[in-house]
Amino acid sequence: MSKAFTRESDTPPDSDLDELDDPAPLPQGFKNYMTPPGFQRMQEELRHLLRVERPKVVEVVSWAAGNGDRSENGDYLYGKKRLREIDRRIRFLNKHLESAVVVNPQDQKNREQVFFGATVTYAREDTSENTVTIVGADEVDPDRGHVSWISPIARALLKAREGDLVDVRTPAGLEQVEVLEIRYAG
C-alpha cells in the first residue's frame, strides 16, 4: 500500500481525546461547585442523551449500515459523527456530575457577605449598575447575569459586604466597583 494512504499517527482524526471532553476545565485544585438547579439541569441533559438522543442515532446508524456501501452513505457518516458528539457530551456530563460539589445558596447562614450563590448588585466607576449571580463554572449564562465563581468579577466580590469597594481586574485594567446589594435565593 502506498504511504499516501496511511495515517501518520495511531490517533484517528475525530478521536475523542480527554482534553476535548472538557471545553472549560477548572483550574488545578479548584472544586466544581454547582447550585442545585444547575446540577439538576445537567442530570436531565444526561438522561435525555442516554434515553432519547443516543438510541435514536444508534437506530439510524444501524439502519444506514444495512444499506450497503458505508463510504458514501450520508446517514451512516453523519450518524457516526453525531454519535461521537453525543458520547463526548455524555463523558463530559458524567465527569462533571461526579466531581460536583452541590452548594445550596438558601443554606447560607452569613447573608451579609458575598459567597457562592449570591446575587450581587454593584456600581461601576461610570455609575452604571450591574447585577450578577455567582454560580458554578458549568452554569455560566451571561444573558441571565450568571457568572462563574472563578471569574474575575466573582473572585473580587467574594467575601465583600454591602458598601465595600473592591478592585476588579478587567482587560482595560483595574476597576473599582461598589457593592450595593447582596441577595440569596429563598
Side-chain angles (χ1 to χ4, degrees):
M1 176 189 281
S2 169
K3 196 119 168 104
F5 295 106
T6 61
R7 285 200 186 111
E8 290 185 11
S9 75
D10 293 337
T11 307
D14 289 332
S15 174
D16 297 337
L17 300 172
D18 285 342
E19 61 265 14
L20 296 177
D21 290 344
D22 203 352
L26 289 170
Q28 187 70 26
F30 282 80
K31 292 190 177 184
N32 185 20
Y33 292 117
M34 200 176 291
T35 62
F39 187 78
Q40 185 177 358
R41 274 193 300 276
M42 287 183 81
Q43 282 183 320
E44 288 169 1
E45 181 184 355
L46 178 61
R47 246 189 315 276
H48 177 76
L49 288 173
L50 288 170
R51 294 183 181 159
V52 179
E53 284 289 316
R54 194 171 193 289
K56 277 187 200 174
V57 175
V58 166
E59 186 178 330
V60 169
V61 169
S62 176
W63 168 81
N67 287 341
D69 185 10
R70 295 176 185 176
S71 65
E72 294 179 15
N73 187 332
D75 287 330
Y76 179 80
L77 296 174
Y78 173 75
K80 290 292 284 184
K81 182 176 185 227
R82 179 70 183 127
L83 202 53
R84 283 191 301 273
E85 292 167 356
I86 290 170
D87 289 342
R88 183 177 299 131
R89 184 66 182 167
I90 288 170
R91 277 194 309 280
F92 171 84
L93 291 169
N94 274 326
K95 183 174 160 186
H96 282 245
L97 288 170
E98 286 172 5
S99 68
V101 177
V102 180
V103 178
N104 192 340
Q106 295 174 351
D107 295 343
Q108 183 56 252
K109 304 283 187 254
N110 184 357
R111 293 175 176 252
E112 305 296 316
Q113 277 185 291
V114 177
F115 293 106
F116 183 85
T119 299
V120 183
T121 302
Y122 62 92
R124 300 180 65 178
E125 289 175 343
D126 63 6
T127 69
S128 65
E129 289 185 10
N130 291 51
T131 301
V132 295
T133 301
I134 300 172
V135 297
D138 295 320
E139 303 172 86
V140 173
D141 185 354
D143 295 336
R144 294 177 45 207
H146 290 189
V147 297
S148 168
W149 70 277
I150 56 176
S151 67
I153 185 66
R155 290 178 78 170
L157 292 170
L158 285 173
K159 297 187 181 175
R161 299 175 186 275
E162 288 182 9
D164 283 358
L165 294 173
V166 296
D167 293 327
V168 180
R169 291 193 187 282
T170 67
L174 217 53
E175 181 181 357
Q176 201 169 56
V177 299
E178 179 184 2
V179 178
L180 301 176
E181 182 185 12
I182 301 169
R183 295 185 317 272
Y184 287 90

